[in-house]
Amino acid sequence: FEKALMQEHFNENYLESSKFPKAMFKGKIDNLKDINFKKDGTYKANISGNLTIHGVTKPVKTTANFQVNGQRINATTDFSVVMKDYKVSIPSLVKDKVAKTATIQVEANYQQLKK
């Protein structure tokens, strides 16, 4: 969003964040065997799962990059979703000013679990 107020209005008025405060993704790495978590490097992962936004769940497939560096593993991805697929309605008065798709960017930083 260009301005914080635009993001606030989008979240409050269209995503209805007070009614649907969380989005959730549950998925898996389809090519897990291709990623060597014990060897430093960058690995491409094929991800599939279900994304829930605005109370609506849809299947999603995307790719992610896993960066292994010692005991640290970082994963990044971005993908687009169509807002109407998740029953997010944009009033006609502002439909030309609000994108019909949203880009979701994910960055996950993993550390080894200490026992």
Side-chain angles (χ1 to χ4, degrees):
F1 294 94
E2 289 180 24
K3 301 175 184 169
L5 188 59
M6 293 169 73
Q7 181 175 355
E8 184 179 331
H9 284 198
F10 183 79
N11 287 330
E12 288 177 2
N13 300 328
Y14 310 129
L15 281 181
E16 301 175 286
S17 295
S18 60
K19 187 175 178 182
F20 304 102
K22 295 182 180 182
M24 181 173 30
F25 177 79
K26 287 187 179 183
K28 63 179 183 163
I29 301 171
D30 296 324
N31 62 326
L32 188 60
K33 66 181 179 346
D34 296 337
I35 302 171
N36 186 346
F37 292 104
K38 295 181 186 214
K39 182 180 178 187
D40 288 0
T42 301
Y43 302 90
K44 186 174 180 178
N46 299 317
I47 310 292
S48 63
N50 291 308
L51 176 66
T52 302
I53 299 174
H54 202 245
V56 176
T57 302
K58 297 278 185 184
V60 170
K61 286 187 176 241
T62 189
T63 59
N65 288 312
F66 278 74
Q67 179 70 43
V68 177
N69 186 2
Q71 296 294 314
R72 294 180 184 226
I73 301 166
N74 300 317
T76 57
T77 187
D78 60 57
F79 55 94
S80 296
V81 295
V82 177
M83 292 285 84
K84 75 176 185 177
D85 289 349
Y86 292 89
K87 296 185 180 175
V88 175
S89 58
I90 310 297
S92 59
L93 183 65
V94 294
K95 70 176 182 166
D96 293 333
K97 296 181 183 189
V98 177
K100 292 170 181 50
T101 62
T103 300
I104 297 176
Q105 297 175 329
V106 179
E107 182 176 333
N109 301 303
Y110 302 97
Q111 293 180 334
Q112 185 174 16
L113 184 64
K114 296 179 182 176
K115 296 181 182 182

